[in-house]
């Protein structure tokens, strides 16, 4: 492989050369959604981040087995050991079977991932389909003495594990400190220590999702499914594990502990985490009222949105930031992204119609090299996009006949479009009516602009000016350029 990809490994907290365990095979596991609610912005970022990782590994020629799970059991309300199962709770509220809830939201998740042009994983295992394997792993951890049974539940013994291992290896947390601070607070629970976590939980009488086990009728702990399913499909040690930073502790820390306890080795070579999304500078949350579903984004129905945003605008916006940086969603930032996306697509569409001639002083090979270097440097998509806009300027200057372009330059740019825009970034040309809200505006404006052009061709300038002025009164400004007439909303 001519490139050397570097990835930032959360486990070692530094950038490392990516060297798969069994090249050209690369195994990747990403924590998927808990399917109890409509897909929202928080789902879009990890999905798009690891879609880029997947796409780039494929582009580099790796055979990738990409596993992304569906959590349909065991994820309790407060993300820990207490409270109702998220799916069971929704099922009770909506008077549905839990699996009906899980299927409904799995379908919704797939629908929106398709719209965002996120590729399907190679395997999408459901936690509920791997209960037997999870029971086996609980038994294995018990046999190694790293868990204990209490009142029908089985808990991972963090203190004991930490004597011979490091519970904190990923998150950098200090367990001794945690232990010292929490020991006296216990007593209520059937756990030895409050930071011990359930790997098997006895179901309360009202709990509807339950399975037989040697310990009780119950269900597996949330962290366990990922340890079990990643090992089942990728082996006890595999290349990449991804997820949002919010999963780093306790979810991923506990995954490591479970796997090390059961199998005696580190399960993952490279841990990758995407940063979080904020909305107008605030953390996203249901209670904050800034919890926006993807459907609301795409049809513009949420009250905090000034307009609808197309799926490609959302994707492009997310890729304009590095995955380890935060992304703040605001109307102005999204509108700027929407315009930039259109400019990019328009220029590369114009490229097709350009008549070639003399070569101009623009180094396409250098540009391609820079794009590769940016991707090789821990998937630096904003850098790739910045370089693509240098190509946009060049193409537009040629299209406006200020300079010319050789056949070699044109062919090289077409290759850049195919490799970087289509394949690696996964940015596609959106048809105008792909999104009901955003599309209709476009269609109507196209029609009005055509009508006005017709008026001008017929020298009916009074009418064409009337159209322009009336639009201006409603807050829409027309701008005549060499490429045609553009429109934008003022205010
Ligand atoms: Zn997980």
């Amino acid at each position: 492989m001519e490139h050397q990809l570097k990835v930032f490994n959360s486990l070692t907290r530094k950038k490392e050369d990516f060297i798969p365990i069994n090249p050209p095979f690369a195994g990747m596991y990403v924590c998927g959604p808990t399917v109890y609610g409509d897909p929202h912005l928080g789902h879009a970022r990890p999905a798009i981040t690891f879609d880029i990782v997947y796409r780039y590994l494929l582009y580099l020629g790796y055979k990738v087995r990409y596993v992304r799970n569906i959590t349909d059991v065991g994820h309790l309300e407060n993300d820990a050991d207490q409270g109702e199962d998220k799916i069971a709770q929704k099922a009770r509220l909506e008077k549905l079977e839990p699996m009906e809830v899980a299927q409904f939201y799995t379908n919704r998740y797939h629908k929106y991932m398709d719209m965002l042009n996120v590729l399907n994983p190679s395997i999408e295992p459901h936690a509920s389909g791997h209960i037997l394997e999870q029971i086996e792993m609980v038994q294995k951890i018990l046999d190694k003495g790293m868990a204990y049974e209490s009142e029908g539940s089985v808990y991972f013994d963090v203190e004991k594990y930490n004597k011979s291992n490091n519970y904190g290896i990923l998150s950098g947390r200090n367990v001794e400190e945690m232990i010292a601070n929490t020991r006296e607070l216990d007593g209520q629970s059937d756990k030895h220590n409050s930071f011990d976590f359930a790997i098997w939980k006895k179901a309360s009488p009202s709990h509807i999702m339950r399975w037989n086990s040697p310990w009780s009728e119950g269900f597996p702990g949330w962290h366990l499914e990922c340890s079990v399913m990643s090992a089942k499909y990728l082996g006890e040690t595999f290349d990449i594990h991804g997820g949002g930073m919010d999963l780093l502790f306790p979810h991923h820390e506990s995954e490591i502990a479970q796997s090390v306890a059961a199998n005696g080795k580190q399960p993952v070579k490279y841990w990758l985490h995407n940063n979080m999304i904020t909305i107008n500078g605030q953390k996203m949350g249901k209670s904050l009222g800034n919890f926006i579903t993807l459907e609301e984004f795409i049809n513009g129905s949420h009250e905090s949105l000034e307009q609808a945003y197309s799926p490609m605008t959302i994707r492009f916006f997310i890729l304009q930031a590095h995955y380890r940086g935060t992304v703040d969603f605001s109307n102005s930032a999204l509108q700027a992204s929407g315009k930039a996306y259109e400019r990019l697509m328009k220029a590369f569409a114009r490229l097709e119609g350009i008549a070639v001639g003399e070569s101009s002083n623009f180094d396409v090979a250098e540009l391609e090299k820079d794009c590769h270097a940016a991707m090789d440097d821990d998937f630096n998509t904003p850098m790739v996009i910045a370089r693509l806009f240098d190509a946009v300027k060049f193409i537009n200057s040629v299209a406006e006949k200020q300079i010319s372009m050789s056949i070699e330059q044109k062919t090289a740019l077409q290759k850049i479009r195919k490799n970087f825009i289509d394949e690696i970034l996964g940015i596609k040309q959106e048809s105008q009516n792909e999104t009901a809200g955003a599309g209709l505006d476009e269609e109507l404006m196209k029609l009005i602009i055509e009508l006005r052009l017709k008026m001008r061709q017929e020298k009916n300038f009074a009418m064409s000016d009337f159209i322009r002025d009336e639009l201006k009164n409603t807050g829409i400004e027309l701008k005549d350029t060499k490429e045609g007439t553009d429109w934008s909303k003022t205010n």
Side-chain angles (χ1 to χ4, degrees):
M1 220 140 293
E2 58 181 296
H3 302 278
Q4 187 51 62
L5 171 63
K6 281 188 183 296
V7 298
F8 184 87
N9 190 351
S10 307
L11 194 64
T12 57
R13 294 164 193 87
K14 59 182 187 221
K15 273 187 205 169
E16 292 173 19
D17 287 336
F18 177 68
I19 302 163
I21 297 162
N22 297 307
F25 177 84
M28 172 160 95
Y29 186 93
V30 172
C31 291
T34 301
V35 282
Y36 72 102
D38 222 31
H40 55 76
L41 208 49
H43 290 108
R45 193 164 194 206
I48 290 171
T49 297
F50 294 102
D51 187 48
I52 293 293
V53 174
Y54 181 40
R55 283 169 179 272
Y56 195 55
L57 292 176
L58 289 175
Y59 174 80
L60 292 180
Y62 290 109
K63 292 186 194 318
V64 187
R65 182 177 295 162
Y66 174 18
V67 183
R68 190 183 65 205
N69 67 304
I70 294 282
T71 297
D72 56 359
V73 65
H75 195 170
L76 302 187
E77 253 175 301
N78 63 353
D79 288 358
D81 293 336
Q82 301 304 318
E84 215 175 341
D85 182 291
K86 290 186 178 191
I87 290 156
Q89 183 181 50
K90 190 84 177 185
R92 182 173 54 75
L93 293 173
E94 299 193 356
K95 297 192 170 39
L96 296 168
E97 269 294 312
M99 283 303 127
E100 226 174 341
V101 170
Q103 188 64 57
F104 179 80
Y105 289 113
T106 302
N107 294 346
R108 297 279 295 166
Y109 181 74
H110 288 155
K111 176 183 164 180
Y112 285 96
M113 291 307 114
D114 281 349
M115 288 172 92
L116 292 169
N117 205 22
V118 168
L119 299 177
N120 293 320
S122 336
I123 305 177
E124 192 171 49
H126 288 55
S128 65
H130 297 75
I131 301 292
L132 277 178
E133 291 92 331
Q134 293 183 76
I135 290 173
E136 280 170 18
M137 189 156 183
V138 171
Q139 190 59 58
K140 219 169 162 185
I141 298 170
L142 274 169
D143 292 346
K144 302 270 164 125
M146 292 296 183
Y148 55 90
E149 190 190 340
S150 173
E151 307 286 333
S153 293
V154 180
Y155 295 100
F156 193 90
D157 193 337
V158 171
E159 191 175 10
K160 185 161 181 208
Y161 171 83
N162 197 56
K163 284 192 178 125
S164 47
N165 296 280
N166 178 7
Y167 186 82
I169 189 171
L170 183 65
S171 60
R173 295 195 188 205
N174 183 334
V175 180
E176 275 89 24
E177 235 164 63
M178 273 165 55
I179 292 168
N181 291 339
T182 53
R183 193 184 298 279
E184 303 88 62
L185 305 173
D186 282 349
Q188 305 283 62
S189 150
D190 43 0
K191 296 183 200 183
H192 294 173
N193 283 304
S194 65
F195 43 77
D196 290 346
F197 55 90
I199 49 180
W200 186 263
K201 186 90 179 146
K202 182 183 176 177
S204 63
S206 64
H207 197 99
I208 36 183
M209 296 165 86
R210 52 207 297 151
W211 288 264
N212 278 320
S213 80
W215 315 286
S216 64
E217 211 172 77
F219 54 93
W222 171 41
H223 311 313
L224 194 68
E225 62 176 278
C226 292
S227 287
V228 164
M229 296 189 291
S230 59
K232 172 159 180 167
Y233 297 110
L234 297 171
E236 288 177 0
T237 303
F238 57 95
D239 298 302
I240 293 176
H241 192 314
M245 235 168 223
D246 54 336
L247 295 179
L248 200 140
F249 188 89
H251 188 57
H252 292 161
E253 189 75 68
S254 303
E255 272 188 50
I256 293 177
Q258 291 165 158
S259 298
V260 170
N263 305 322
K265 50 186 153 188
Q266 280 295 325
V268 177
K269 225 173 142 186
Y270 306 96
W271 282 91
L272 271 56
H273 291 96
N274 65 275
N275 212 323
M276 296 292 102
I277 273 171
T278 54
I279 297 181
N280 296 317
Q282 270 195 311
K283 196 172 178 283
M284 196 171 66
K286 261 185 182 148
S287 55
L288 296 168
N290 64 357
F291 192 87
I292 309 179
T293 67
L294 289 170
E295 182 178 44
E296 288 168 329
F297 252 100
I298 290 166
N299 66 23
S301 63
H302 193 274
E303 56 178 310
S304 70
L305 300 176
E306 286 167 14
Q307 63 172 87
Y309 298 100
S310 74
M312 278 305 113
T313 300
I314 298 171
R315 184 175 177 105
F316 189 79
F317 180 60
I318 287 175
L319 294 180
Q320 277 181 304
H322 189 264
Y323 76 93
R324 284 189 289 112
T326 52
V327 162
D328 185 49
F329 273 69
S330 67
N331 280 289
S332 57
L334 276 162
Q335 283 156 9
S337 274
K339 287 210 173 89
Y341 160 72
E342 275 169 31
R343 230 159 59 83
L344 179 73
M345 297 316 280
K346 218 177 192 169
F348 276 91
R350 287 177 104 184
L351 177 66
E352 298 307 313
I354 279 174
V356 292
E358 292 287 298
S359 170
S360 287
N361 186 20
F362 183 82
D363 196 340
V364 187
E366 183 74 19
L367 182 121
E368 190 185 358
K369 220 175 99 207
D370 289 351
C371 287
H372 276 130
M375 285 306 293
D376 287 338
D377 182 19
D378 197 27
F379 314 99
N380 194 339
T381 56
M383 185 61 83
V384 174
I385 291 173
R387 287 299 271 131
L388 289 175
F389 273 98
D390 293 333
V392 167
K393 267 184 232 150
F394 176 54
I395 294 166
N396 285 340
S397 312
V398 176
E400 282 149 26
K401 306 214 184 313
Q402 292 155 6
I403 48 175
S404 63
M405 179 187 287
S406 69
I407 179 79
E408 290 79 15
Q409 286 178 317
K410 182 171 171 173
T411 311
L413 283 169
Q414 284 169 324
K415 191 175 138 210
I416 283 178
R417 182 203 163 129
K418 183 183 162 286
N419 289 348
F420 285 94
I421 301 180
D422 301 350
E423 269 181 43
I424 295 171
L425 297 182
I427 295 169
K428 59 175 186 179
Q429 180 61 57
E430 228 157 28
S431 69
Q432 299 292 13
N433 50 13
E434 199 153 327
T435 60
L440 188 62
D441 277 4
E442 283 291 340
E443 290 296 316
L444 284 174
M445 285 310 301
K446 222 166 98 186
L447 183 69
I448 293 170
I449 287 166
E450 267 171 37
L451 276 173
R452 177 165 164 269
L453 185 68
K454 217 165 156 43
M455 295 299 157
R456 284 169 61 163
Q457 282 161 351
E458 290 168 6
K459 304 216 182 306
N460 188 346
F461 295 113
M463 187 54 88
S464 86
D465 288 349
F466 174 78
I467 291 173
R468 188 196 57 210
D469 295 343
E470 285 303 302
L471 281 174
K472 199 166 185 179
N473 288 338
T474 63
I476 291 170
E477 193 160 34
L478 296 186
K479 201 175 146 210
D480 296 314
T481 71
K482 284 179 203 154
E483 298 164 44
T485 304
D486 282 337
W487 67 276
S488 58
K489 287 182 182 166
T490 53
N491 70 41

